[in-house]
Amino acid sequence: MKITVLSSNQPRHISLAKELGKIADEVFFISEVNTVFPGQIDDFFKKTDVMQRYFANVISSEKKVFGDIEFLPSNIRTLSIKSGDLNRLDRSQLEEALHSDVYVVFGASYIKGWLIDFLVHKGALNIHMGISPFYRGSSCNFWALYDNNPSYVGSTIHMLSKGLDSGDMLFHCLPKFVDGDSPFDFTMRSVRAAHYGLCQSISDGSIISMERVVQDKTTELRYTRNSDFTDEVANEFLTRQYSIDKSSLINYPDLLKPLYY
């Protein structure tokens, strides 16, 4: 089996490529590159004192759950491009990655043009970090905690569509609660759950026959953009010193099964 994955270059994205490499003969990993020191370097997020403090927590939790950046196994072929260049590529540049059995998108930039048409036609799968259709857009699990909705932290595996996070849903994944975890650990474990659920359902073939559920956008609680995540919002969250305990994980939304943890 061949798998093409369009993703990024943080440890969580590298980890997905590695997990897919365990179930595939060959993986084509198209990696959009951002700084691996968010908050410290001006890039996707601004370099400010608040962002440095916020992303110090993110980086610590990501390393705790996924380890550090590292070289990949020999059956994973990587094409690294600058974030934002994806839609400038033509077919000839991606030719070898266009003959796979499975296509996965996780953390890539907004895909347009011929490439989105191709991926939708091929039935590409998307990992949305958030429980759709309740939280859609950017940084959804942060906003679920910001809204004091820890039961809405998780991920959605859905069909890729031309609309952002709007494709038909297949199933949801929830993070395991580990006593002593920070909120950053908790949200990062939802990424781990998504990787497990996706790889397991591809490996056993169950994802092929799963019912596709149309998203009911009338149930949406928040739709967020990158620009909504400001210094003021991040600082407010850090100042709260938000914590999670098992008793707070109640009032789950109606979730699609099988659930993966």
Side-chain angles (χ1 to χ4, degrees):
M1 177 169 57
K2 294 183 179 181
I3 298 177
T4 292
V5 55
L6 296 89
S7 192
S8 189
N9 65 313
Q10 307 300 318
R12 61 189 182 275
H13 305 113
I14 292 171
S15 178
L16 174 62
K18 288 175 58 181
E19 292 303 311
L20 291 170
K22 294 176 182 178
I23 63 172
D25 301 303
E26 192 170 24
V27 172
F28 297 93
F29 179 30
I30 302 164
S31 175
E32 292 190 275
V33 177
N34 293 299
T35 179
V36 292
F37 303 104
Q40 300 177 42
I41 304 292
D42 258 331
D43 197 0
F44 191 76
F45 293 101
K46 292 181 179 179
K47 177 186 175 183
T48 66
D49 290 341
V50 172
M51 289 300 173
Q52 285 192 52
R53 287 192 291 118
Y54 181 87
F55 281 103
N57 288 285
V58 174
I59 292 170
S60 175
S61 293
E62 189 169 26
K63 286 184 178 180
K64 178 178 180 178
V65 176
F66 293 107
D68 210 337
I69 56 174
E70 59 185 339
F71 292 103
L72 292 169
S74 59
N75 68 327
I76 300 175
R77 300 179 59 191
T78 303
L79 177 66
S80 297
I81 59 172
K82 190 179 188 318
S83 181
D85 284 354
L86 182 60
N87 293 314
R88 295 178 178 271
L89 301 180
D90 60 37
R91 289 176 182 267
S92 64
Q93 292 166 315
L94 292 178
E95 178 61 28
E96 289 185 83
L98 301 181
H99 303 280
S100 291
D101 303 291
V102 178
Y103 296 83
V104 175
V105 178
F106 171 51
S109 59
Y110 187 61
I111 305 172
K112 301 183 290 186
W114 73 269
L115 184 54
I116 189 65
D117 290 336
F118 174 86
L119 291 171
V120 170
H121 175 71
K122 288 292 186 178
L125 305 163
N126 186 64
I127 298 178
H128 167 59
M129 291 316 307
I131 299 292
S132 291
F134 309 102
Y135 282 87
R136 297 175 56 242
S138 176
S139 304
C140 291
N141 286 330
F142 164 81
W143 288 105
L145 291 184
Y146 184 87
D147 292 340
N148 198 29
N149 282 330
S151 298
Y152 284 74
V153 170
S155 55
T156 309
I157 309 299
H158 66 83
M159 305 304 298
L160 186 68
S161 66
K162 290 187 178 182
L164 185 63
D165 303 330
S166 60
D168 291 351
M169 301 180 295
L170 298 173
F171 58 91
H172 290 116
C173 304
L174 295 176
K176 288 182 178 179
F177 174 80
V178 177
D179 194 35
D181 269 359
S182 72
F184 296 91
D185 299 335
F186 185 66
T187 56
M188 201 59 71
R189 290 192 193 282
S190 69
V191 184
R192 171 67 76 190
H195 291 183
Y196 173 76
L198 178 70
C199 292
Q200 181 66 31
S201 59
I202 291 174
S203 180
D204 65 21
S206 61
I207 201 164
I208 297 172
S209 58
M210 285 183 184
E211 180 185 359
R212 301 182 180 186
V213 179
V214 176
Q215 298 196 36
D216 179 4
K217 294 180 182 178
T218 65
T219 63
E220 183 178 288
L221 299 177
R222 265 193 191 267
Y223 183 93
T224 46
R225 295 173 173 81
N226 292 330
S227 57
D228 296 323
F229 185 68
T230 63
D231 274 13
E232 291 75 20
V233 167
N235 189 58
E236 179 190 344
F237 184 78
L238 291 171
T239 303
R240 281 192 214 169
Q241 296 185 329
Y242 193 94
S243 63
I244 297 172
D245 58 67
K246 203 164 188 177
S247 64
S248 68
L249 297 175
I250 56 176
N251 299 322
Y252 282 98
D254 189 17
L255 299 174
L256 296 177
K257 298 176 175 60
L259 290 174
Y260 291 92
Y261 296 88

